[in-house]
Amino acid sequence: SLPAKLINGGIAGLIGVTCVFPIDLAKTRLQNQQNGQRMYSSLSDCLIKTIRSEGYFGMYRGAAVNLTLVTPEKAIKLAANDFFRHHLSKDGKKLTLLREMLAGCGAGTCQVIVTTPMEMLKIQLQDAGRIEAQRKLMAAQGQPSSSPAAAAKPAVEKRPTATQITRELLRSKGIAGLYKGLGATLLRDVPFSIVYFPLFANLNKLGQKDPNVKAPFYVSFLSGCVAGSTAAVAVNPCDVIKTRLQSLQRGVNEDTYSGILDCTKKIWQREGPLAFFKGAYCRALVIAPLFGIAQVVYFVGIAEFLLDLLPRRRA
């Protein structure tokens, strides 16, 4: 049922995000680094420096936004994919690869309604520590920490809250402010879903002894991990562009961008093609367990068990 799908998707998202959020924070900070003052050399270096400067909970900056909005986001994504797969199937026959990709495309398009503002707020909170650490380092070295990009940042505190950022964006730009980078988000999430859902469905089928019986939970988990990491690396260039476009604050000597094409051109010319794969292994480490856990929860059907308890309690 639809309520069960939404509950399953929500529970899956909450569990997955809690487990992998520090790696996601490192991914955002590594992707936002340009050829100016580089603060982190790797995933482990980023996490160690974050703990030293911001404490253990510094690794979870922006987690509240993610945990709040990941429930509707994952619920929409998983339920929409099921919805489109159901309506694209003909008389219960097996879906062709093209139709599976179309279903994934529909799911990716639907989820950006929630994904874009969630990512917009999360990125500001995740990257605030990097900007602040860079300014402190520049001050310690006796170098000026001001730049045209830094001067153009929104009038919010150095360590803003999600509420402050939301109010400032709504006041200055309206609802469109929360949907900055919508095109780049679509450019990332639609191809991701086109790759992920068909790949997961076909990998998961390999573990089914009977077409009418669900695959074992470990098969769903491994299928989700493999499909998720593959799709994540495939669309990482789009994720780098999206992250750069949605970042409102810039570090010293870091570029600003007017759109997708401008961002792509500047990254290619000034940082080289490998810059499009910054944070790719971090993103794979985030997405693999996130979608592995999501698919286990979704296919095991925790919601069905919870919903079945309601009639018993009433009785």
Side-chain angles (χ1 to χ4, degrees), residues 196 200 203-204 207 214-226 291-297 299-300:
Y196 172 77
F200 169 79
L203 289 174
N204 196 56
K214 290 182 180 179
F217 77 93
Y218 62 86
V219 172
S220 294
F221 176 77
L222 292 174
S223 299
C225 288
V226 172
F291 277 84
I293 293 168
Q295 292 295 358
V296 168
V297 174
F299 276 84
V300 166

Side-chain angles (χ1 to χ4, degrees), residues 199-265:
L199 183 57
F200 169 79
N202 286 282
L203 289 174
N204 196 56
K205 284 178 184 176
L206 296 176
Q208 290 180 276
K209 296 181 180 179
D210 187 327
N212 298 318
V213 179
K214 290 182 180 179
F217 77 93
Y218 62 86
V219 172
S220 294
F221 176 77
L222 292 174
S223 299
C225 288
V226 172
S229 58
T230 301
V233 173
V235 302
N236 196 76
C238 301
D239 189 56
V240 171
I241 294 169
K242 183 199 72 67
T243 300
R244 296 281 182 94
L245 289 175
Q246 288 188 319
S247 296
L248 300 177
Q249 298 187 48
R250 302 289 180 193
V252 180
N253 300 322
E254 291 183 346
D255 291 323
T256 56
Y257 311 103
S258 60
I260 294 174
L261 293 178
D262 179 57
C263 182
T264 303
K265 181 180 178 181

